[in-house]
Amino acid sequence: MQALPDTRSEMKIHLEPGTLHKLKELASEKIKDWTLVADPAISPGGCRIVSDKSDADASVETRLNSCMDQVAAKLNQTEIKGINQEPEPAVDAE
C-alpha cells in the first residue's frame, strides 16, 4: 500500500466477504480507519486495492499466474541454453 500514489483514506480494500467478517471480528480496532469492501469476486486469501489513481490486484489467481509465468520463463530459458550448447565429445573408455 505504501508504494501506491494515494493516501490511505483514498483507498478501498476489496476482500472476500468471509475474510472481511473475520477481520472485523478479530481486529476491529486495527482496521477502523480502513475502507473495506466485501467483494464476492475476490477469493479467500486475496485482495484488491482500488482508488481513483491506482488499482492493485493481489488476488490469489493473479499471484499464482505471476509465479507460473516466472516458472515458464525459467524453463524456457533453460531449454534454450540446452539447445544452444555444443554437444560434449564422446569419451572412449579404452
Side-chain angles (χ1 to χ4, degrees):
M1 286 176 57
Q2 292 175 341
L4 298 175
D6 309 285
T7 64
R8 184 174 289 167
S9 64
E10 297 172 322
M11 295 182 197
K12 293 179 182 170
I13 303 168
H14 293 244
L15 299 166
E16 182 267 332
T19 302
L20 178 57
H21 176 73
K22 281 290 185 192
L23 271 175
K24 287 181 177 180
E25 183 181 301
L26 299 173
S28 61
E29 190 61 30
K30 290 183 180 183
I31 63 170
K32 67 181 180 180
D33 297 328
W34 299 1
T35 304
L36 302 176
V37 177
D39 187 341
I42 304 292
S43 298
C47 72
R48 184 170 166 220
I49 303 169
V50 181
S51 75
D52 291 339
K53 299 175 191 168
S54 58
D55 186 341
D57 182 356
S59 66
V60 173
E61 294 81 6
T62 299
R63 294 186 319 229
L64 177 60
N65 286 337
S66 177
C67 289
M68 295 307 293
D69 289 346
Q70 290 177 25
V71 169
K74 186 66 174 175
L75 290 174
N76 287 337
Q77 186 179 41
T78 303
E79 186 177 294
I80 290 170
K81 282 182 182 177
I83 291 171
N84 292 336
Q85 289 180 343
E86 294 286 325
E88 293 185 24
V91 176
D92 195 0
E94 286 183 50

